[in-house]
C-alpha cells in the first residue's frame, strides 16, 4: 500500500489532487455539499492511481510471447 501511494506520481495525478482539493474548498465556501462527492471521486483516483492517463488504461498484450 505504501508503494502504491508514494510511487509513480505523474502530472495527471498531481492535477487530480489539485482538482480534488479545489472541489473540497468550493464545497466548504459555497456550502454546496455535493462537491464533496466529486472531490472524493478524484481523491480516490489519486490515492489508488486509477483512471486513464500515462498508460493507465492500456491493455497489456500478453497473448503472444516473442519467445514462442
Amino acid at each position: 500500500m505504501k508503494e502504491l501511494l508514494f510511487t509513480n506520481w505523474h502530472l495527471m495525478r498531481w492535477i487530480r489532487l489539485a482538482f480534488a482539493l479545489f472541489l473540497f474548498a468550493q464545497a466548504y465556501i459555497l456550502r454546496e455539499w455535493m462537491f464533496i462527492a466529486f472531490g472524493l471521486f478524484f481523491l480516490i483516483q489519486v490515492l489508488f492511481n486509477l483512471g486513464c492517463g500515462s498508460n493507465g488504461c492500456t491493455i497489456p498484450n500478453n497473448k503472444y510471447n516473442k519467445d514462442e
Side-chain angles (χ1 to χ4, degrees), residues 4-11 13-14 17 46-47 49:
L4 180 67
L5 290 175
F6 295 117
T7 59
N8 198 18
W9 279 82
H10 45 80
L11 179 63
R13 203 166 173 185
W14 285 107
L17 178 63
V46 168
L47 292 178
N49 199 16

Side-chain angles (χ1 to χ4, degrees), residues 64-68:
Y64 299 108
N65 194 352
K66 291 182 180 181
D67 295 334
E68 292 181 12

Side-chain angles (χ1 to χ4, degrees), residues 1-61:
M1 184 68 166
K2 192 188 242 185
E3 182 180 331
L4 180 67
L5 290 175
F6 295 117
T7 59
N8 198 18
W9 279 82
H10 45 80
L11 179 63
M12 196 62 207
R13 203 166 173 185
W14 285 107
I15 291 172
R16 285 187 189 121
L17 178 63
F19 193 59
L21 295 175
F22 171 76
L23 287 172
F24 290 142
Q26 289 300 310
Y28 180 75
I29 292 168
L30 298 175
R31 307 271 191 238
E32 291 289 336
W33 305 116
M34 192 62 180
F35 285 136
I36 291 177
F38 295 117
L40 284 174
F41 171 74
F42 286 104
L43 187 65
I44 288 170
Q45 281 187 339
V46 168
L47 292 178
F48 297 112
N49 199 16
L50 300 172
C52 295
S54 295
N55 295 329
C57 289
T58 59
I59 299 171
N61 189 3

